[in-house]
């Protein structure tokens, strides 16, 4: 079998096999991709070393090897006609290997750029989209250069790769503290950014097909707590339409510039002075897009399937105001409980318009993403009211 340019329809293919879509990574995003793919009649194959990975549980095939294991990659290719990824740090070399023999979306090249903050921000600049002033720190000379930007401090130092949910980041108060801060990150390739005065954060998900067609979801307003997404709100006027238009336009320019195929999430800051700047991108569906599962006529995972299988993309339509609450493992340990206690799901589900999504993780741990709660309603007031009540029941801080 070689790389096909035809639509990959579900069901039996020319070789008498069920059309199978593969995914690198077995986390919750992979699980929701698998659910969407199976709903459309595809078979699925997941590669993830963890025997109890959320996507592995629900997939037709689960290949339990390392991401760079040649035998594992060969098995994934043997099973799948097309392969996608579900987490940002899938080793790009694995994707290069797969891409030589199968349809892979997003491409290894796009993923490699998204995995490296300096490359990523350089791409944003090249696309004409504003981001925070930054300086790569990969040598003593660059360290000295970064120290000279005295007006950036207090600044944020981030490792260029492998950071997520605020990990691998430190605030640096003054230029004199920079060398020690870099040392605390083991002098790994890093980026220093000016710390901006944020009014709020937002994100937008665009989906681009092999033919270059692009569609997008509404712009999402996001609240982070301790570096982790806590709440996403999507309804009329949550974000000024002018800012939202600019975010969509910028996201599309960035996707176009990468010749991207698949689902791409762009995260933005809206500054206190009203300016919009891009922060980072995720080459996959995104936590802030989970509301699409219940509030839109097609979800981000449905469009991940369609873009991978070369099926038509349609502009999604949001049919209900929506709020998403992230369900972190902390909720199992409320009131300083030592042992995990199941949150009051039944009480929450007694509220109108609550859609509980749990990822099937066997153990609740603090800061671990266990699931999310999507709330939909007929009006913005109602959705907020129910969301605040759900927060109260679950012990999530009000927003
Ligand atoms: P991660 O990959 O961990 O999500 P981010 O770059 O998104 O890394 O940083 C995490 C959070 O830190 C952001 O959502 C934002 O709240 C804050 N942050 C990051 N960079 C800046 C900056 N330059 N100025 C102000 N706040 C920032
Ligand atoms: Mg982020």
């Amino acid at each position: 079998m070689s790389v096909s340019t035809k639509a990959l329809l579900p069901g039996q293919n020319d070789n008498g096999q069920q059309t199978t879509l593969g995914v690198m990574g077995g986390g919750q995003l992979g699980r929701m991709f698998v659910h969407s793919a199976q709903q459309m009649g595809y078979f699925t194959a997941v590669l993830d070393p963890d025997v109890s990975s959320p996507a592995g549980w629900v997939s037709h095939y689960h290949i339990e090897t390392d991401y760079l294991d040649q035998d594992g990659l060969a098995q994934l290719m043997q099973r799948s006609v097309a392969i996608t990824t579900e987490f940002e740090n899938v080793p790009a070399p694995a994707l290069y290997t797969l891409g030589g023999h199968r349809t892979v979306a997003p491409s290894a090249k796009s993923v490699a750029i998204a995995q490296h903050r300096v490359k990523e921000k350089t791409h944003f600049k090249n696309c004409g989209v504003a981001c925070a002033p930054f300086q790569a720190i990969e040598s003593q000379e660059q360290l000295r250069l970064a120290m000279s930007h005295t007006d950036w401090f207090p600044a944020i130092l981030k490792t260029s790769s492998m950071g997520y949910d605020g990990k691998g980041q430190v605030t640096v108060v003054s230029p004199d503290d920079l060398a020690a801060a870099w040392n605390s990150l083991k002098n790994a390739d890093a980026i220093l950014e000016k710390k901006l005065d944020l009014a709020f954060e937002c994100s937008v998900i665009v989906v681009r097909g092999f033919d270059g067609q692009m569609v997008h979801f509404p712009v999402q307003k996001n609240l982070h707590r301790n570096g982790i997404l806590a709440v996403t709100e999507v309804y009329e006027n949550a974000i000024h339409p002018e800012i939202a238009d600019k975010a969509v336009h910028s996201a599309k320019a960035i996707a176009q510039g990468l010749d991207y195929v698949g689902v791409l999430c762009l995260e933005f800051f809206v500054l206190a002075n009203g300016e919009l700047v891009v922060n980072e991108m995720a080459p996959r569906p995104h936590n802030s897009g989970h509301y699409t599962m219940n509030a839109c006529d097609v979800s981000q995972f449905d469009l991940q399937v369609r873009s991978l299988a070369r099926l038509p993309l349609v502009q999604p339509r949001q049919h209900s105001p929506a709020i998403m609450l992230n369900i972190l493992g902390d909720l199992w340990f409320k009131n300083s409980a030592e042992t995990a206690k199941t949150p009051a799901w039944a009480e929450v589900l007694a509220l109108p318009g609550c859609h509980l999504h749990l990822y099937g993780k066997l153990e609740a741990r603090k800061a671990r993403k266990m699931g999310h709660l999507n709330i939909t309603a007929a009006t913005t007031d109602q959705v907020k009211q129910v969301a605040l009540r759900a927060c109260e029941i679950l012990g999530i801080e009000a927003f």
Side-chain angles (χ1 to χ4, degrees), residues 117 156 158 164-166 169 193-194 196 201 279-280:
R117 292 189 197 276
I156 305 184
K158 307 177 181 177
Y164 67 98
D165 288 344
Q169 295 192 18
E193 291 177 23
K194 178 174 180 163
L196 303 172
E201 299 185 51
N279 176 38
E280 61 171 352

Side-chain angles (χ1 to χ4, degrees), residues 88 117 120-121 132-133 155-156 158 163-169 193-198 201 224 227-228 267 269 271 279-280 286:
E88 217 153 318
R117 292 189 197 276
E120 174 179 65
K121 288 211 157 66
I156 305 184
K158 307 177 181 177
Y164 67 98
D165 288 344
K167 293 186 177 70
Q169 295 192 18
E193 291 177 23
K194 178 174 180 163
K195 186 167 187 175
L196 303 172
D197 187 7
L198 314 187
E201 299 185 51
H224 294 82
I228 306 177
E267 291 186 56
F269 298 146
L271 307 187
N279 176 38
E280 61 171 352
H286 194 258

Side-chain angles (χ1 to χ4, degrees), residues 3 30 32 40 49 52 69 73 78 87 92 119 141 145 158 181 184-185 188 201 226 233 241 336 358 389:
V3 175
M32 292 183 270
M40 288 177 68
S52 56
D69 184 289
L73 294 173
Q78 194 263 325
F87 79 108
K119 289 184 189 156
E141 197 186 328
L145 205 56
K158 307 177 181 177
S184 77
L185 298 178
E201 299 185 51
N226 305 319
E233 296 172 83
S336 343
L358 291 173
R389 180 70 193 117

